[in-house]
Amino acid sequence: MTDPEPPVVILGVAASDAHVVANRLIAFQLRDLGFDVVNLGACTPVAEFVECLAAHPDAVALVIGSVNGHAVEDLTPLRVAKDAGRVPCPVVVGGNLSVGSEADDEDASAALRDLGVDHVLRDVSALPPLLACLAAARSHRQLEGASR
């Protein structure tokens, strides 16, 4: 029996954001945990994430970071892509999601969910267990499909 393929995670930084240190550290950590990380790096528009998902339809998640506080503006095209079925996996967003007060961060989280973001993380330590759950759920669905 061959080992299963490692779960694919597509990682990148929102379109107007050039901050890559956290992105690189997250990629290293996820690879160490056994994920196959496709890292698109900084300044990644939604169209590029969608294109990468087309090349990796088995991805367990699309993980997008934002440090500059403009995640909502950068991810506005996500709703159209999700509604068109071009984003078949959960979308996870984390980082500094708004510019300003704590209340603005709550507003940004709600706006991101309206755009189709499935998980908004405030703490990067929540990412590995979330991805492990998403990968396990995908494996379970695949096993169920194979047994039918």
Side-chain angles (χ1 to χ4, degrees):
M1 179 180 227
T2 61
D3 288 333
E5 293 293 318
V8 174
V9 174
I10 297 171
L11 175 66
V13 180
S16 70
D17 200 327
H19 295 91
V20 293
V21 173
N23 169 272
R24 302 273 301 179
L25 294 172
I26 291 167
F28 287 134
Q29 180 187 28
L30 294 179
R31 286 183 182 116
D32 283 347
L33 293 171
F35 290 94
D36 179 5
V37 178
V38 179
N39 191 352
L40 300 177
C43 300
T44 308
V46 169
E48 192 173 330
F49 285 118
V50 169
E51 184 178 306
C52 190
L53 281 167
H56 299 278
D58 57 336
V60 297
L62 172 58
V63 179
I64 304 170
S66 176
V67 178
N68 70 2
H70 298 285
V72 173
E73 294 86 355
D74 289 344
L75 297 179
T76 298
L78 181 63
R79 176 82 274 152
V80 171
K82 280 198 95 169
D83 289 349
R86 298 182 68 206
V87 181
C89 65
V91 177
V92 181
V93 175
N96 181 24
L97 304 178
S98 64
V99 178
S101 71
E102 192 84 16
D104 290 338
D105 206 34
E106 291 302 320
D107 291 345
S109 293
L112 287 165
R113 291 186 190 286
D114 287 345
L115 291 175
V117 172
D118 301 287
H119 304 277
V120 178
L121 301 183
R122 304 239 188 283
D123 183 349
V124 70
S125 67
L127 183 60
L130 172 61
L131 293 176
C133 286
L134 294 173
R138 178 169 283 244
S139 292
H140 181 72
R141 286 190 307 273
Q142 288 173 337
L143 287 173
E144 278 184 344
S147 68
R148 289 182 182 174

